[in-house]
């Protein structure tokens, strides 16, 4: 009674009512034997009193005061914070030390307001003590403010009337602009309603960057939606475990909180968006939520990995293992965004001139998406339930400039043909038709020319375009313009190449002459037996005459000297003439 105005008032009222009740009871008992009506009235009064006593015994919270042998009972059916909070408030009234924390300060502040434990009734009361701790300690730290805000979920609407909820929300939003964001994981303890309040407060502040809001969003989603990411197994112990319906509501709320513009990509990554999309299929989220996620994932498709796009088909109507229709829609959303971006860029002449020299980032993104789609096609091509029409539709959804080379899509086609050997000739031609033979590399052409699964027409096209590419490459090398220094080097290289060809031809000619010389030497050796036994020649010479010439011919000196001199002069003369110099 000394600390609580409400308890003081209620007990005082009971004090005033008890003497009147006792007098009424004595007066009724004194007249009990006069008539039957008076006895009936006394019986009714006693029954009413017994009912009142039974109700009082069934109440959860009672305050009892032992005075002159009478028991005084008061009831608080809607006490904020429950019995535990009332016990702490009662200890405070009796001078027991109470430790305030971020978890109990809001319930104790509401209890003090409910019990009217204010400074007007007693000095240094519970309301002032809790208010001071809330302002000086809790609201200065976002982690403590989050805990206090969580405790307010069971204190509504009183916590709203006292402004505790608004002050905690503003404190969290104000601290979210700080560099350290390790406390974002603590927001996972909040329910969806309070979390929305925090996100709305962060969105209204100019000092809170979009990246901070994205970090808060990602942390909350990963902590409150189980199975959101296959690569993240960690889950906060304090995070509530939600039912499937609550998870669906949480996911749709997270999708609605995503930034309207393109995300930065550093926090809300393509991996996170595809994980949300996969989870939305599992939880059977609304069509609007899934469509929004598909469009949002399309904005970062070039940053996705193959495993991100492998979304299983959870619909009973789908026959394929993976949801190919979903990936096709995402690719079309991506191409639509790129076309809009290209139109916006082409509106400026300066940008057009710059784009002619430097490839646009969007063009690089399209090429990256082309590689990703080809990898996806190769992954799903082995699915026996994937129809040829669906395979071709996804393969042809990309523009021509999305693939620099068609090796990736050729690999997917080869896998598809191997996994579907019973295709008709028409279906096989249609599947192979997605490959542009003109954009195959030499390695792919070599493989295609020997691929027995390809139709004969396709093999002939590969061979034809391979020869055409070689011819164009040779022609382009000979006729391509080059800078002056490069042109001089190319001309010198060409001259050296021609000289080497000439030398090679001359070597072959020398080999033929050498063979003739060997045959001539053999004939001379055959006639050597007709000489005199003395070793002199028939004409009596000493070896300086014709016989000496025969010996020189036998060793090849004459022929070698003539060939080398002649070849040396010819080579020097030809090279000098080509280089524009005198011999």
């Amino acid at each position: 009674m000394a600390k609580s105005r409400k308890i003081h008032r209620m007990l005082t009222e009971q004090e005033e009512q008890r003497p009147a009740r006792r007098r009424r009871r004595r007066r009724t008992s004194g007249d009990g034997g006069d008539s039957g009506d008076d006895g009936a009235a006394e019986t009714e009064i006693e029954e009413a009193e017994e009912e009142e006593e039974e109700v009082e015994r069934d109440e959860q919270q009672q305050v009892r005061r032992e005075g002159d042998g009478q028991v005084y009972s008061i009831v608080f059916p809607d006490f904020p914070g429950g019995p535990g909070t009332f016990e702490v408030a009662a200890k405070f009234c009796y001078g027991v030390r109470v430790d305030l924390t971020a978890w109990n300060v809001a319930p104790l502040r509401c209890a003090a307001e409910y019990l009217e434990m204010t400074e007007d009734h007693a000095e240094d009361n519970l309301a002032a003590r809790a208010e001071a701790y809330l302002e000086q300690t809790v609201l200065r730290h976002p982690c403590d403010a989050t805990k206090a805000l969580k405790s307010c979920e069971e204190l509504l609407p009183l916590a709203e009337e006292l402004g505790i909820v608004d002050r905690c929300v503003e404190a969290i939003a104000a601290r979210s602009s700080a560099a350290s964001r390790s406390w974002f994981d603590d927001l996972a303890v909040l329910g969806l309603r309070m979390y929305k309040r925090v996100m709305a407060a962060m969105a209204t502040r100019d000092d809170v960057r979009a990246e901070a809001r994205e970090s808060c969003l990602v942390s909350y989603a990963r902590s409150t939606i189980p199975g959101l990411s296959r690569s993240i197994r960690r889950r906060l112990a304090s995070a509530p475990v939600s039912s499937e319906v609550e998870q669906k509501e949480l996911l749709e709320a997270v999708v609605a909180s995503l930034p309207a513009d393109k995300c930065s990509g550093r926090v809300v990554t393509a991996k996170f968006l595809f994980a949300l999309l996969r989870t939305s299929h599992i939880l059977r989220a609304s069509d609007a939520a899934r469509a929004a996620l598909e469009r949002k994932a399309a904005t970062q498709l070039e940053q996705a990995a193959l495993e991100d796009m492998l979304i299983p088909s959870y619909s009973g109507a789908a026959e394929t293992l993976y949801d190919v229709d979903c990936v096709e829609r995402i690719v079309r959303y991506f191409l639509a965004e790129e076309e809009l971006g290209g139109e916006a860029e082409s509106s400026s002449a300066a940008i057009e001139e710059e784009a002619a020299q430097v490839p646009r980032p969007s063009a690089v993104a399209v090429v990256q998406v082309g590689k990703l789609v080809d990898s996806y096609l190769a992954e799903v091509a082995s699915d026996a339930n994937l129809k040829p029409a669906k395979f071709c539709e996804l393969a042809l959804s990309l523009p021509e400039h999305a693939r620099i080379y068609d090796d990736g899509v050729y690999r997917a086609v080869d896998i598809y043909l191997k996994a579907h050997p019973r295709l008709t000739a028409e279906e096989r031609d249609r599947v192979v038709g997605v490959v542009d033979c003109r954009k195959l590399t030499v390695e792919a052409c070599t493989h295609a020319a020997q691929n027995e699964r390809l139709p004969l027409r396709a093999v002939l096209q590969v061979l034809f375009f391979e020869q055409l590419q070689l011819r164009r490459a040779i022609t382009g090398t000979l006729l391509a313009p080059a800078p002056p220094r490069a042109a001089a080097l190319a001309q010198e290289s060409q001259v050296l190449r021609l000289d080497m060809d000439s030398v090679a031809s001359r070597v072959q000619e020398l080999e033929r002459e050498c063979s003739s010389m060997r045959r001539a030497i053999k004939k001379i050796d055959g006639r050597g037996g007709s000489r005199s036994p003395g070793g002199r020649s028939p004409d009596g010479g000493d070896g300086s005459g014709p016989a000496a010439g025969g010996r020189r011919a036998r060793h090849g000196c004459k022929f070698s000297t003539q060939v080398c001199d002649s070849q040396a002069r010819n080579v020097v003369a030809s090279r000098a003439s080509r280089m524009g110099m005198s011999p």
Side-chain angles (χ1 to χ4, degrees):
M1 293 177 66
K3 291 290 186 180
S4 172
R5 184 190 300 274
K6 186 170 186 176
I7 294 178
H8 184 277
R9 183 175 60 252
M10 296 177 70
L11 294 180
T12 302
E13 292 176 355
Q14 289 193 19
E15 283 279 355
E16 295 174 354
Q17 293 176 0
R18 280 195 178 273
R21 180 179 295 180
R22 287 197 297 269
R23 287 194 299 270
R24 186 174 67 251
R25 180 174 296 179
R26 285 197 300 269
R27 192 167 51 249
T28 303
S29 62
D31 299 336
D34 294 341
S35 63
D37 294 338
D38 294 339
E42 182 179 354
T43 303
E44 292 178 358
I45 292 175
E46 291 178 354
E47 292 177 354
E49 290 179 353
E50 290 178 358
E51 292 178 358
E52 290 179 0
E53 292 177 358
E54 185 177 356
V55 171
E56 291 175 358
R57 285 195 302 268
D58 293 340
E59 295 294 341
Q60 297 180 355
Q61 300 165 342
Q62 296 181 348
V63 177
R64 296 186 176 183
R65 173 174 169 261
E66 298 292 340
D68 52 355
Q70 301 295 330
V71 178
Y72 296 87
S73 299
I74 56 177
V75 181
F76 299 134
D78 55 348
F79 191 85
T85 302
F86 179 81
E87 182 181 1
V88 176
K91 290 180 179 179
F92 178 83
C93 294
Y94 286 100
V96 179
R97 179 181 176 180
V98 175
D99 294 329
L100 296 177
T101 64
W103 286 109
N104 67 10
V105 64
L108 287 175
R109 177 64 184 89
C110 293
E113 188 69 18
Y114 184 87
L115 296 174
E116 301 178 18
M117 300 175 66
T118 60
E119 297 297 306
D120 297 340
H121 185 68
E123 293 183 357
D124 194 20
N125 216 337
L126 182 59
R129 188 82 63 84
E131 192 67 34
Y133 185 81
L134 185 66
E135 290 290 341
Q136 298 175 8
T137 303
V138 174
L139 298 181
R140 294 185 178 182
H141 303 282
C143 298
D144 293 339
T146 302
K147 297 175 183 177
L149 183 60
K150 174 62 180 179
S151 65
C152 290
E153 294 178 355
E154 304 295 332
L155 304 172
L156 301 176
L158 186 55
E160 286 278 12
E161 297 173 359
L162 296 176
I164 301 177
V165 174
D166 289 338
R167 285 182 288 173
C168 290
V169 168
E170 288 299 325
I172 295 172
R175 302 302 189 279
S176 61
S177 60
S180 177
R181 298 169 189 166
S182 58
W183 56 272
F184 279 178
D185 290 340
D186 297 335
L187 294 176
V189 301
L190 296 178
L192 183 59
R193 179 180 177 183
M194 291 300 181
Y195 175 75
K196 288 182 177 180
R197 293 276 296 270
V198 173
M199 292 298 296
M202 293 174 64
T204 57
R205 297 183 64 91
D206 296 334
D207 58 340
V208 179
R209 296 183 300 175
E211 186 175 345
R213 295 196 298 271
E214 293 176 7
S215 298
C216 181
L217 182 68
V218 171
S219 298
Y220 186 79
R222 286 177 173 172
S223 301
T224 56
I225 304 177
L228 179 61
S229 179
R230 293 176 294 184
S231 61
I232 298 178
R233 305 299 182 185
R234 181 179 60 87
R235 179 176 172 81
L236 295 179
S238 56
V241 179
S242 305
S243 63
E244 184 174 341
V245 176
E246 292 174 337
Q247 292 179 34
K248 177 181 175 181
E249 184 180 0
L250 283 170
L251 186 139
E252 293 178 352
V254 169
V255 174
S257 302
L258 289 172
D261 300 332
K262 183 176 181 179
C263 300
S264 62
R266 293 185 296 271
V267 181
V268 181
T269 59
K271 188 178 189 65
F272 174 74
L273 292 173
F274 275 95
L276 277 178
L277 183 57
R278 185 187 305 108
T279 307
S280 68
H281 285 223
I282 298 175
L283 298 176
R284 293 179 174 84
S286 62
D287 294 339
R290 282 188 279 185
L293 280 174
E294 289 175 0
R295 292 184 179 275
K296 186 64 66 174
T299 61
Q300 300 187 29
L301 183 58
E302 71 276 9
Q303 301 177 8
L306 175 60
E307 62 175 3
D308 300 331
M309 298 179 64
L310 297 177
I311 302 175
S313 297
Y314 295 100
S315 175
E319 298 179 353
T320 56
L321 178 62
Y322 297 108
D323 196 339
V324 181
D325 293 332
C326 176
V327 173
E328 183 180 356
R329 287 193 299 270
I330 294 174
V331 172
R332 294 192 184 279
Y333 291 147
F334 169 80
L335 295 176
E337 291 292 334
E338 291 299 324
E339 290 177 1
L340 293 177
E343 292 177 0
E345 291 183 0
S346 61
S347 60
S348 174
I351 295 181
E352 285 184 359
E353 183 178 355
E354 183 179 357
Q357 300 176 359
V358 181
R360 293 186 297 109
S362 59
V364 177
V366 171
V367 173
Q368 185 66 28
V369 170
K371 295 179 180 178
L372 185 62
V373 171
D374 290 346
S375 300
Y376 181 81
L377 285 171
E379 185 69 25
V380 302
S382 58
D383 191 343
N385 295 323
L386 182 60
K387 303 299 182 183
K390 181 60 61 178
F391 179 88
C392 297
E393 189 175 357
L394 180 57
L396 296 175
S397 62
L398 294 173
E400 185 178 357
H401 64 276
R403 296 185 177 100
I404 300 177
Y405 299 104
D406 272 23
D407 291 17
V409 69
Y410 167 72
R411 174 173 172 268
V413 167
D414 186 42
I415 296 175
Y416 188 85
L417 294 178
K418 184 177 181 180
H420 300 78
R422 298 183 179 180
L423 294 177
T424 63
E426 183 179 357
E427 291 174 339
R428 189 180 298 271
D429 290 339
R430 183 178 180 183
V431 171
V432 176
V434 302
V435 180
D436 188 352
C437 299
R438 296 171 297 179
K439 298 169 69 174
L440 293 177
T441 61
V442 177
E443 292 80 3
C445 287
T446 303
H447 185 278
Q450 302 174 0
N451 194 342
E452 298 179 355
R453 289 183 287 270
L454 296 181
L456 180 59
R457 178 185 298 179
V459 175
L460 293 177
Q461 289 180 351
V462 169
L463 294 174
F464 172 77
F465 286 115
E466 182 182 12
Q467 295 297 326
L468 186 61
Q469 287 178 0
L470 292 175
R471 183 178 300 175
R472 289 178 177 176
I474 295 174
T475 305
T477 303
L478 296 177
L479 300 180
R485 175 59 181 167
L489 293 175
Q491 183 178 2
E492 183 177 357
S493 176
Q494 185 176 357
V495 169
L496 292 176
R497 187 182 300 110
L498 294 175
D499 287 344
M500 291 177 63
D501 294 341
S502 177
V503 170
S505 177
R506 185 57 180 166
V507 168
Q508 294 178 357
E509 183 179 354
L510 289 175
E511 290 179 349
R512 290 194 297 269
E513 292 182 2
C514 184
S515 298
S516 301
M517 289 168 56
R518 290 194 185 97
R519 290 193 296 270
I521 291 174
K522 288 181 179 180
K523 292 179 180 180
I524 294 174
D525 290 340
R527 293 195 299 268
S530 60
R531 291 179 298 178
S532 61
R536 299 180 62 87
S537 59
D539 56 357
D542 55 358
S544 60
R551 289 192 297 270
R552 286 194 299 269
R554 182 179 304 171
H555 290 87
C557 297
K558 177 180 179 181
F559 298 105
S560 176
T561 303
Q562 292 177 353
V563 171
C564 291
D565 293 344
S566 174
Q567 179 63 13
R569 287 193 298 270
N570 290 340
V571 170
V572 173
S574 62
R575 181 177 300 179
S577 63
R578 294 191 190 104
M579 298 296 293
M581 299 181 298
S582 58

